[in-house]
Amino acid sequence: MTLPLVVGVDGSDASLLAVDWAVDEAARGDRPLGLVYASLWERYEGAVPSTGRERPSERVLAEHIVASAAERAALRRPEVPVTTGIVPADPVDALLCEGNNAFALVTGERGRGELKGLLLGSVSLGVAARAHCPVIVVRGDETGLVGLHEQILFGAGDLATGVQAVHFALREAEERGCAVDAVRAWRRPASEGASAFTEDRAHEPEERAAARLDELLGEAVAEHPGVRVRRTTVEGPARRILVDRSADADLVVIGARHRHGHFGLQLGRVGHTLLHHAHCPVAIVPQMT
């Protein structure tokens, strides 16, 4: 059975953009699309005795939201099977539960009722930080959202965090018929140790970065021989480099460590920065350790 792409919808403009992006993504991968609305409305409205036969207002709103989202998806990509669900639960918890049987979870950058000044909403961050499947937060400029760059940006970390992510990035590029920009950042030794860092060893950090990038890419490249991969090592902070390069990408993919027995992912500075500032959608791919 092909796992669905699941989108959290709430009627906000950001969630509608997420639906558009996700239905295009589902069509490329020949996957079904699931639309989920979640709220704790039943807990609160159910506590108040009803004296009439009218359905709770929040339930009516939920039905309208998912029906409108489903109609939007069907008009955009009629070939994609769409299912809908309304869950009386906390949105983060509901999406995390859906993620146990999903190819990936998709959210907008912020939801209905959240302040417009927020760079990232609480639901999007909560899902990205705790899901056991890939999470894509749809954000960025129009060019990146519609996929005109024809390039996937892969931020290469270590083997401990990046194996699942690199496979995700190359599979995504193969489905789109585009290239992968695989980037590994590196830094020179701290100034206090620079005196021992001779000219003969000046290229060691970059060479180590290139070797680790090759090691990480090796198996995935072999499995996707038709994908063009450009390997780049860049000196500087990874979070700044990836945000800058995301302006020329349709999706940026990074890995994150998900340790057994620990609550949530270890997103780190790079993950948090991309989720807040990337110029295109961001995929966080968990690596179970």
Side-chain angles (χ1 to χ4, degrees), residues 207-243:
E207 290 170 353
R208 284 196 299 269
R212 289 175 180 173
L213 179 57
D214 288 342
E215 183 181 15
L216 184 56
L217 289 171
E219 182 180 328
V221 168
E223 291 184 6
H224 303 275
V227 176
R228 293 170 289 127
V229 180
R230 182 172 66 250
R231 306 166 192 235
T232 307
T233 55
V234 185
E235 181 181 9
R239 59 188 186 276
R240 177 181 59 78
I241 291 166
L242 292 176
V243 167

Side-chain angles (χ1 to χ4, degrees), residues 139-141 143-145 149 151-153 181 183 239-253 273-274 277-282:
R139 56 166 297 112
D141 58 36
T143 306
L145 288 173
H149 296 296
Q151 179 170 262
I152 302 298
L153 174 61
D181 180 22
V183 179
R239 59 188 186 276
R240 177 181 59 78
I241 291 166
L242 292 176
V243 167
D244 289 346
R245 294 177 84 99
S246 71
D248 296 317
D250 300 320
L251 178 70
V252 54
V253 180
T273 300
L274 285 170
H277 299 289
H279 300 285
C280 67
V282 179

Side-chain angles (χ1 to χ4, degrees), residues 46-260:
V48 180
S50 176
T51 57
R53 296 182 179 181
E54 294 183 357
R55 290 176 299 159
S57 58
E58 183 71 20
R59 177 75 190 193
V60 174
L61 175 64
E63 291 173 353
H64 172 73
I65 287 173
V66 295
S68 298
E71 181 180 9
R72 185 184 182 100
L75 288 173
R76 188 178 181 95
R77 293 284 187 172
E79 74 275 20
V80 175
V82 178
T83 61
T84 61
I86 299 173
V87 184
D90 173 78
V92 173
D93 291 340
L95 289 173
L96 292 175
C97 183
E98 293 289 333
N100 292 330
N101 293 291
F103 170 75
L105 294 170
V106 181
T107 73
E109 57 184 325
R110 61 180 175 269
R112 179 168 57 96
E114 292 183 304
L115 298 176
K116 290 186 177 181
L118 290 177
L119 294 173
L120 185 69
S122 58
V123 172
S124 300
L125 183 58
V127 172
R130 293 170 55 192
H132 288 264
C133 69
V135 174
I136 299 116
V137 175
V138 177
R139 56 166 297 112
D141 58 36
E142 184 176 354
T143 306
L145 288 173
V146 298
L148 296 182
H149 296 296
E150 298 186 346
Q151 179 170 262
I152 302 298
L153 174 61
F154 171 60
D158 297 321
L159 288 174
T161 60
V163 174
Q164 298 299 320
V166 69
H167 282 275
F168 185 94
L170 266 72
R171 180 176 56 240
E172 184 72 25
E174 187 171 66
E175 291 178 356
R176 291 169 177 252
C178 71
V180 171
D181 180 22
V183 179
R184 168 92 184 191
W186 60 277
R187 306 295 294 270
R188 295 185 186 277
S191 57
E192 56 267 27
S195 59
F197 200 67
T198 66
E199 185 175 345
D200 292 339
R201 298 173 54 203
H203 297 291
E204 284 186 5
E206 185 174 9
E207 290 170 353
R208 284 196 299 269
R212 289 175 180 173
L213 179 57
D214 288 342
E215 183 181 15
L216 184 56
L217 289 171
E219 182 180 328
V221 168
E223 291 184 6
H224 303 275
V227 176
R228 293 170 289 127
V229 180
R230 182 172 66 250
R231 306 166 192 235
T232 307
T233 55
V234 185
E235 181 181 9
R239 59 188 186 276
R240 177 181 59 78
I241 291 166
L242 292 176
V243 167
D244 289 346
R245 294 177 84 99
S246 71
D248 296 317
D250 300 320
L251 178 70
V252 54
V253 180
I254 64 168
R257 185 173 300 177
H258 207 322
R259 294 177 176 174
H260 289 290

